[in-house]
PDB file of all heavy atoms in Angstrom:
ATOM      1  N   SER A 420      11.544   4.534 -26.350  1.00 42.00           N
ATOM      2  CA  SER A 420      10.222   5.122 -26.165  1.00 42.00           C
ATOM      3  C   SER A 420      10.279   6.636 -26.100  1.00 42.00           C
ATOM      4  O   SER A 420       9.279   7.299 -26.206  1.00 42.00           O
ATOM      5  CB  SER A 420       9.624   4.623 -24.863  1.00 42.00           C
ATOM      6  OG  SER A 420       9.578   3.240 -24.873  1.00 42.00           O
ATOM      7  N   VAL A 421      11.460   7.176 -25.894  1.00 42.00           N
ATOM      8  CA  VAL A 421      11.568   8.631 -25.841  1.00 42.00           C
ATOM      9  C   VAL A 421      12.446   9.125 -26.975  1.00 42.00           C
ATOM     10  O   VAL A 421      13.379   8.446 -27.399  1.00 42.00           O
ATOM     11  CB  VAL A 421      12.137   9.121 -24.491  1.00 42.00           C
ATOM     12  CG1 VAL A 421      11.105   8.971 -23.394  1.00 42.00           C
ATOM     13  CG2 VAL A 421      13.398   8.378 -24.163  1.00 42.00           C
ATOM     14  N   ARG A 422      12.094  10.254 -27.470  1.00 44.00           N
ATOM     15  CA  ARG A 422      12.853  10.815 -28.574  1.00 44.00           C
ATOM     16  C   ARG A 422      13.364  12.182 -28.191  1.00 44.00           C
ATOM     17  O   ARG A 422      12.679  12.949 -27.533  1.00 44.00           O
ATOM     18  CB  ARG A 422      11.969  10.952 -29.808  1.00 44.00           C
ATOM     19  CG  ARG A 422      11.764   9.653 -30.523  1.00 44.00           C
ATOM     20  CD  ARG A 422      10.862   9.870 -31.677  1.00 44.00           C
ATOM     21  NE  ARG A 422       9.522  10.234 -31.210  1.00 44.00           N
ATOM     22  CZ  ARG A 422       8.510  10.485 -32.009  1.00 44.00           C
ATOM     23  NH1 ARG A 422       8.682  10.474 -33.302  1.00 44.00           N
ATOM     24  NH2 ARG A 422       7.335  10.785 -31.527  1.00 44.00           N
ATOM     25  N   GLU A 423      14.529  12.490 -28.612  1.00 47.00           N
ATOM     26  CA  GLU A 423      15.081  13.815 -28.396  1.00 47.00           C
ATOM     27  C   GLU A 423      14.389  14.773 -29.357  1.00 47.00           C
ATOM     28  O   GLU A 423      14.232  14.477 -30.539  1.00 47.00           O
ATOM     29  CB  GLU A 423      16.593  13.782 -28.640  1.00 47.00           C
ATOM     30  CG  GLU A 423      17.308  15.089 -28.418  1.00 47.00           C
ATOM     31  CD  GLU A 423      17.462  15.446 -26.937  1.00 47.00           C
ATOM     32  OE1 GLU A 423      17.169  14.604 -26.095  1.00 47.00           O
ATOM     33  OE2 GLU A 423      17.885  16.569 -26.666  1.00 47.00           O
ATOM     34  N   ALA A 424      13.951  15.879 -28.832  1.00 48.00           N
ATOM     35  CA  ALA A 424      13.200  16.799 -29.676  1.00 48.00           C
ATOM     36  C   ALA A 424      14.126  17.543 -30.635  1.00 48.00           C
ATOM     37  O   ALA A 424      15.304  17.711 -30.377  1.00 48.00           O
ATOM     38  CB  ALA A 424      12.491  17.822 -28.803  1.00 48.00           C
ATOM     39  N   ASP A 425      13.589  17.973 -31.749  1.00 42.00           N
ATOM     40  CA  ASP A 425      14.358  18.766 -32.683  1.00 42.00           C
ATOM     41  C   ASP A 425      14.129  20.257 -32.456  1.00 42.00           C
ATOM     42  O   ASP A 425      14.736  21.105 -33.039  1.00 42.00           O
ATOM     43  CB  ASP A 425      14.029  18.382 -34.121  1.00 42.00           C
ATOM     44  CG  ASP A 425      12.550  18.302 -34.339  1.00 42.00           C
ATOM     45  OD1 ASP A 425      11.781  18.538 -33.380  1.00 42.00           O
ATOM     46  OD2 ASP A 425      12.130  17.993 -35.479  1.00 42.00           O
ATOM     47  N   GLY A 426      13.238  20.555 -31.575  1.00 43.00           N
ATOM     48  CA  GLY A 426      12.977  21.964 -31.281  1.00 43.00           C
ATOM     49  C   GLY A 426      12.041  22.027 -30.101  1.00 43.00           C
ATOM     50  O   GLY A 426      11.724  21.015 -29.509  1.00 43.00           O
ATOM     51  N   ARG A 427      11.631  23.209 -29.737  1.00 46.00           N
ATOM     52  CA  ARG A 427      10.757  23.276 -28.578  1.00 46.00           C
ATOM     53  C   ARG A 427       9.299  23.452 -28.986  1.00 46.00           C
ATOM     54  O   ARG A 427       8.987  23.985 -30.035  1.00 46.00           O
ATOM     55  CB  ARG A 427      11.198  24.390 -27.641  1.00 46.00           C
ATOM     56  CG  ARG A 427      11.263  25.752 -28.274  1.00 46.00           C
ATOM     57  CD  ARG A 427      11.762  26.742 -27.258  1.00 46.00           C
ATOM     58  NE  ARG A 427      10.713  26.975 -26.258  1.00 46.00           N
ATOM     59  CZ  ARG A 427       9.751  27.860 -26.410  1.00 46.00           C
ATOM     60  NH1 ARG A 427       9.680  28.587 -27.486  1.00 46.00           N
ATOM     61  NH2 ARG A 427       8.840  28.015 -25.474  1.00 46.00           N
ATOM     62  N   GLY A 428       8.418  22.948 -28.134  1.00 63.00           N
ATOM     63  CA  GLY A 428       6.990  23.131 -28.336  1.00 63.00           C
ATOM     64  C   GLY A 428       6.442  22.465 -29.567  1.00 63.00           C
ATOM     65  O   GLY A 428       5.502  22.931 -30.178  1.00 63.00           O
ATOM     66  N   ARG A 429       7.036  21.340 -29.956  1.00 68.00           N
ATOM     67  CA  ARG A 429       6.585  20.688 -31.179  1.00 68.00           C
ATOM     68  C   ARG A 429       5.771  19.431 -30.923  1.00 68.00           C
ATOM     69  O   ARG A 429       5.531  18.647 -31.832  1.00 68.00           O
ATOM     70  CB  ARG A 429       7.763  20.351 -32.059  1.00 68.00           C
ATOM     71  CG  ARG A 429       8.437  21.617 -32.503  1.00 68.00           C
ATOM     72  CD  ARG A 429       9.447  21.321 -33.558  1.00 68.00           C
ATOM     73  NE  ARG A 429      10.149  22.538 -33.900  1.00 68.00           N
ATOM     74  CZ  ARG A 429      11.007  22.627 -34.889  1.00 68.00           C
ATOM     75  NH1 ARG A 429      11.248  21.547 -35.623  1.00 68.00           N
ATOM     76  NH2 ARG A 429      11.622  23.723 -35.135  1.00 68.00           N
ATOM     77  N   HIS A 430       5.428  19.212 -29.703  1.00 75.00           N
ATOM     78  CA  HIS A 430       4.666  18.014 -29.329  1.00 75.00           C
ATOM     79  C   HIS A 430       5.361  16.754 -29.836  1.00 75.00           C
ATOM     80  O   HIS A 430       4.816  15.963 -30.600  1.00 75.00           O
ATOM     81  CB  HIS A 430       3.221  18.124 -29.777  1.00 75.00           C
ATOM     82  CG  HIS A 430       2.476  19.162 -28.988  1.00 75.00           C
ATOM     83  ND1 HIS A 430       1.922  18.891 -27.753  1.00 75.00           N
ATOM     84  CD2 HIS A 430       2.298  20.467 -29.217  1.00 75.00           C
ATOM     85  CE1 HIS A 430       1.403  20.037 -27.271  1.00 75.00           C
ATOM     86  NE2 HIS A 430       1.619  20.986 -28.133  1.00 75.00           N
ATOM     87  N   THR A 431       6.608  16.617 -29.404  1.00 77.00           N
ATOM     88  CA  THR A 431       7.440  15.497 -29.795  1.00 77.00           C
ATOM     89  C   THR A 431       6.897  14.184 -29.264  1.00 77.00           C
ATOM     90  O   THR A 431       6.785  13.209 -29.978  1.00 77.00           O
ATOM     91  CB  THR A 431       8.874  15.708 -29.268  1.00 77.00           C
ATOM     92  OG1 THR A 431       9.270  17.028 -29.626  1.00 77.00           O
ATOM     93  CG2 THR A 431       9.808  14.711 -29.830  1.00 77.00           C
ATOM     94  N   THR A 432       6.591  14.181 -27.985  1.00 78.00           N
ATOM     95  CA  THR A 432       6.069  12.962 -27.363  1.00 78.00           C
ATOM     96  C   THR A 432       4.568  12.908 -27.679  1.00 78.00           C
ATOM     97  O   THR A 432       3.864  13.888 -27.482  1.00 78.00           O
ATOM     98  CB  THR A 432       6.283  13.016 -25.843  1.00 78.00           C
ATOM     99  OG1 THR A 432       7.657  13.260 -25.600  1.00 78.00           O
ATOM    100  CG2 THR A 432       5.875  11.728 -25.158  1.00 78.00           C
ATOM    101  N   VAL A 433       4.126  11.755 -28.209  1.00 78.00           N
ATOM    102  CA  VAL A 433       2.721  11.701 -28.593  1.00 78.00           C
ATOM    103  C   VAL A 433       1.896  10.750 -27.702  1.00 78.00           C
ATOM    104  O   VAL A 433       0.686  10.743 -27.780  1.00 78.00           O
ATOM    105  CB  VAL A 433       2.527  11.315 -30.087  1.00 78.00           C
ATOM    106  CG1 VAL A 433       3.048  12.430 -30.975  1.00 78.00           C
ATOM    107  CG2 VAL A 433       3.231  10.004 -30.400  1.00 78.00           C
ATOM    108  N   SER A 434       2.565   9.948 -26.900  1.00 82.00           N
ATOM    109  CA  SER A 434       1.770   9.077 -26.009  1.00 82.00           C
ATOM    110  C   SER A 434       2.474   8.975 -24.654  1.00 82.00           C
ATOM    111  O   SER A 434       3.644   9.298 -24.551  1.00 82.00           O
ATOM    112  CB  SER A 434       1.575   7.707 -26.635  1.00 82.00           C
ATOM    113  OG  SER A 434       2.835   7.126 -26.850  1.00 82.00           O
ATOM    114  N   ARG A 435       1.737   8.524 -23.671  1.00 87.00           N
ATOM    115  CA  ARG A 435       2.330   8.423 -22.323  1.00 87.00           C
ATOM    116  C   ARG A 435       3.056   7.077 -22.205  1.00 87.00           C
ATOM    117  O   ARG A 435       2.561   6.075 -22.688  1.00 87.00           O
ATOM    118  CB  ARG A 435       1.222   8.484 -21.272  1.00 87.00           C
ATOM    119  CG  ARG A 435       0.451   9.764 -21.412  1.00 87.00           C
ATOM    120  CD  ARG A 435      -0.604   9.891 -20.354  1.00 87.00           C
ATOM    121  NE  ARG A 435      -1.672  10.722 -20.931  1.00 87.00           N
ATOM    122  CZ  ARG A 435      -2.928  10.410 -20.950  1.00 87.00           C
ATOM    123  NH1 ARG A 435      -3.323   9.281 -20.379  1.00 87.00           N
ATOM    124  NH2 ARG A 435      -3.806  11.196 -21.506  1.00 87.00           N
TER     125      ARG A 435
END
Side-chain angles (χ1 to χ4, degrees):
S420 303
V421 287
R422 282 179 293 180
E423 181 74 8
D425 47 0
R427 57 182 289 274
R429 296 191 184 187
H430 291 276
T431 310
T432 306
V433 292
S434 59
R435 303 183 208 128

